[in-house]
């Protein structure tokens, strides 16, 4: 059965909104509205690390998203570089990991890492080695967003920038459409994918326990030569990750934290993060030397955190019929976007998703206040 005559308005043209549009466009009339540009907010600032196999997610989410990235690889400007990830293991801990590595990981000593990834590491004297994971990789988040937009538009979705949604039209507890700064748009379904602002935007309809969250990232040009084929990596005591880039640079990210005043926060990375990268992270990496920071990526308008670190993708019971919401992506919104798109399709159409969706419900939180203790990815 086709729902071509059902209109879905998606609010927000970040990767979540675009993935949702792509998923629904083949058999719905989809209109995406963004108050700014396409992926111009948090999405374009993301590091593009796809590390679902390391995250506390059901295997089916990882498998679904990876299949999608592999399928998209080579379409238009999009490419997905599959690379292993090495989680460094501090000295003294290697023995236990060698005896039993966590799910999906395989322990390799420092010497084995050097042999496996020639030239990729610098001074590893403080480490026994690393846990190697596959099923990980990286992409360019803006290229990815533009590819999702292209694929949605190819299915006749309409994507409008500079079009702020100012409210919902609701009659008798049912969604009728949205109000925008210019006009009113009728809709059978409305999906909010508006990042941290979603709490405030939907305050009259549903309470969402989310808080603004920020990550820091810098791109470093090596003194020597590095390779885009080197593995990605992470170091949990410093709460940092890194990945190669296609231009032969290295992107280092981390230091996620809550923001009290997203609109008033400068775009530049925290000085403490820049110092950490220079003094402690770069020495771990081969060929980088003291490097030169060429780009700083941050996002004052932020992603958003949920109390348990997992996303909320739901059509909440207390909200008007026809309203779905995506929030609390907690720094994983790029890697999860195929899952987000497909999960929202299920909410709109009633079709079952090919992966578990129970974990997405808002009703898992009794307390909906935004005053919760932050749960870091690294804990
Ligand atoms: C430095 C950094 C590095 C990151 N690295 C990674 C990574 O490596 N891997 C990963 O998976 N995730 C990463 N993330 C997280 C990821 O970027 C986010 O989870 C993801 O971009 C969220 O996408 P979104 O579409 O939900 O939200 P957003 O990209 O924030 O999009 C929301 C959109 O809604 C629009 N909007 C808001 N209000 C309105 C309104 N009233 N009307 C119309 N439009 C509105 C905004 O303009 C915006 O475009 C990183 C984040 C940062 C900051």
């Amino acid at each position: 059965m086709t729902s071509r005559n059902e209109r879905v308005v998606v609010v927000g043209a970040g990767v979540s909104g675009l993935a949702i549009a792509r998923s629904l466009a083949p058999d719905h009339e989809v209109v995406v509205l963004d108050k700014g540009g396409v992926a111009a907010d948090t999405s374009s600032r993301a590091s593009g690390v796809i590390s679902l196999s390391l995250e506390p997610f059901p295997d089916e989410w990882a498998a679904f998203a990876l299949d999608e990235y592999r399928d998209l690889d080579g379409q238009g400007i999009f490419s997905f570089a599959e690379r292993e990830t090495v989680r460094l293991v501090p000295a003294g801990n290697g023995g236990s990991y060698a005896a039993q590595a966590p799910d999906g990981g395989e322990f390799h000593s420092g010497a084995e890492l050097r042999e496996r990834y020639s030239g990729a590491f610098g001074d590893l004297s403080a480490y026994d080695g690393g846990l190697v994971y596959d099923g990980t990789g990286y992409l360019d988040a803006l290229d990815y967003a533009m590819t999702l937009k292209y694929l949605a538009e190819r299915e006749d979705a309409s994507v409008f920038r500079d079009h702020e949604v100012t409210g919902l039209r609701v009659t008798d507890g049912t969604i009728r459409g949205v109000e925008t700064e210019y006009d009113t748009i009728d809709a059978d379904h409305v999906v909010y994918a508006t990042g941290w602002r979603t709490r405030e935007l939907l305050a009259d309809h549903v309470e969402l326990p989310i808080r603004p969250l920020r990550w820091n990232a810098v791109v470093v040009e090596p003194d020597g030569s590095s390779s885009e084929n080197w593995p990605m990596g992470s170091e949990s005591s410093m709460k940092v990750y890194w990945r190669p880039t296609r231009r032969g640079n290295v992107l280092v990210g981390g230091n996620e934290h809550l923001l009290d005043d997203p609109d008033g926060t400068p775009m530049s990375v925290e000085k403490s993060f820049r110092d950490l990268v220079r003094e402690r992270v770069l020495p771990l990496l081969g060929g980088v030397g003291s490097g030169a920071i060429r780009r700083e990526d941050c996002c004052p308008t932020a992603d958003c955190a949920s109390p348990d670190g997992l996303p909320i993708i739901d059509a909440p019971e207390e909200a008007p019929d026809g309203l779905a919401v995506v929030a609390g992506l907690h720094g994983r919104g790029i890697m999860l976007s195929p899952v987000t798109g497909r999960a929202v399709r299920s909410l709109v159409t009633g079709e079952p998703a090919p992966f578990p969706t129970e974990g997405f419900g808002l009703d898992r939180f009794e307390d909906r206040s935004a005053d919760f203790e932050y749960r870091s990815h690294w804990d």
Side-chain angles (χ1 to χ4, degrees), residues 11-17 33-37 39-43 45-50 163-166 193-195 197 201 214-217 241 297-299 302-303 326 329-336:
V11 189
V15 288
S16 302
L33 304 172
D34 198 289
K35 72 184 178 107
D41 211 331
T42 312
S43 291
R45 317 219 169 258
S47 306
V49 168
I50 307 300
H163 219 105
E164 180 167 4
V165 172
T166 50
T194 42
R197 287 200 165 83
L201 292 172
R214 181 196 209 191
W215 290 73
N216 288 264
Y241 58 85
D297 275 332
C298 247
C299 193
D303 196 7
V326 171
L329 287 161
H330 219 105
R332 293 144 164 162
I334 308 291
M335 62 183 94
L336 275 175

Side-chain angles (χ1 to χ4, degrees), residues 44-365:
S44 59
R45 317 219 169 258
S47 306
V49 168
I50 307 300
S51 55
L52 291 141
S53 57
L54 280 75
E55 308 291 345
F57 298 151
D59 291 346
E60 294 91 336
W61 294 3
F64 185 83
L66 275 176
D67 276 357
E68 187 99 328
Y69 291 127
R70 287 170 180 152
D71 265 9
L72 283 182
D73 185 31
Q75 290 202 43
I77 53 173
F78 179 76
S79 64
F80 175 49
E82 293 204 41
R83 300 286 179 271
E84 290 177 333
T85 297
V86 178
R87 269 193 170 168
L88 293 179
V89 172
N93 296 298
S96 59
Y97 284 128
Q100 183 161 22
D103 249 8
E106 197 175 272
F107 180 76
H108 291 259
S109 68
E112 286 166 344
L113 290 180
R114 288 185 192 291
E115 198 180 326
R116 191 179 178 96
Y117 312 109
S118 173
F121 289 103
D123 177 10
L124 292 186
S125 52
Y127 301 89
D128 279 349
L131 289 163
V132 174
Y133 293 81
D134 61 11
T136 60
Y138 65 88
L139 51 79
D140 181 290
L142 190 55
D143 287 357
Y144 172 56
M146 289 306 172
T147 303
L148 291 176
K149 174 175 178 281
Y150 162 73
L151 293 170
E153 286 176 332
R154 208 172 60 177
E155 299 285 352
D156 293 332
S158 308
V159 181
F160 296 99
R161 56 190 82 200
D162 298 324
H163 219 105
E164 180 167 4
V165 172
T166 50
L168 278 176
R169 284 187 52 233
V170 179
T171 323
D172 298 333
T174 300
I175 289 287
R176 305 290 173 198
V178 293
E179 312 281 355
T180 78
E181 56 184 317
Y182 306 112
D183 48 19
T184 295
I185 300 178
D186 294 339
D188 302 288
H189 306 268
V190 174
V191 186
Y192 268 67
T194 42
W196 70 274
R197 287 200 165 83
T198 315
R199 178 177 168 86
E200 169 193 319
L201 292 172
L202 289 178
D204 289 345
H205 305 281
V206 59
E207 187 174 12
L208 297 165
I210 51 172
R211 300 183 64 180
L213 163 80
R214 181 196 209 191
W215 290 73
N216 288 264
V218 291
V219 173
V220 181
E221 184 179 333
D223 286 346
S225 62
S226 71
S227 161
E228 68 159 297
N229 291 321
W230 282 350
M232 310 197 301
S234 67
E235 209 287 6
S236 53
S237 72
M238 293 187 235
K239 302 189 174 184
V240 293
Y241 58 85
W242 58 87
R243 72 161 175 90
T245 77
R246 288 182 202 287
R247 290 167 180 258
N249 296 332
V250 180
L251 184 154
V252 185
N255 185 19
E256 98 275 27
H257 54 269
L258 292 171
L259 284 181
D260 289 330
D261 175 21
D263 285 327
T265 308
M267 290 285 278
S268 54
V269 301
E270 308 261 310
K271 179 179 180 305
S272 60
F273 179 69
R274 214 179 294 126
D275 293 346
L276 175 83
V277 170
R278 281 213 184 94
E279 290 159 23
R280 296 185 57 203
V281 181
L282 297 189
L284 302 176
L285 309 179
V288 179
S290 52
I293 292 182
R294 290 293 178 222
R295 201 183 83 199
E296 298 195 356
D297 275 332
C298 247
C299 193
T301 45
D303 196 7
C304 56
S306 71
D308 63 2
L310 297 175
I312 298 163
I313 304 176
D314 201 2
E317 219 169 298
E318 62 267 48
D321 286 347
L323 177 68
V325 60
V326 171
L329 287 161
H330 219 105
R332 293 144 164 162
I334 308 291
M335 62 183 94
L336 275 175
S337 57
V339 171
T340 302
R342 186 60 185 77
V344 171
R345 179 176 172 85
S346 288
L347 293 173
V348 168
T349 62
E351 298 164 7
F355 45 72
T357 54
E358 304 81 49
F360 293 138
L362 175 62
D363 59 7
R364 70 188 191 269
F365 304 113

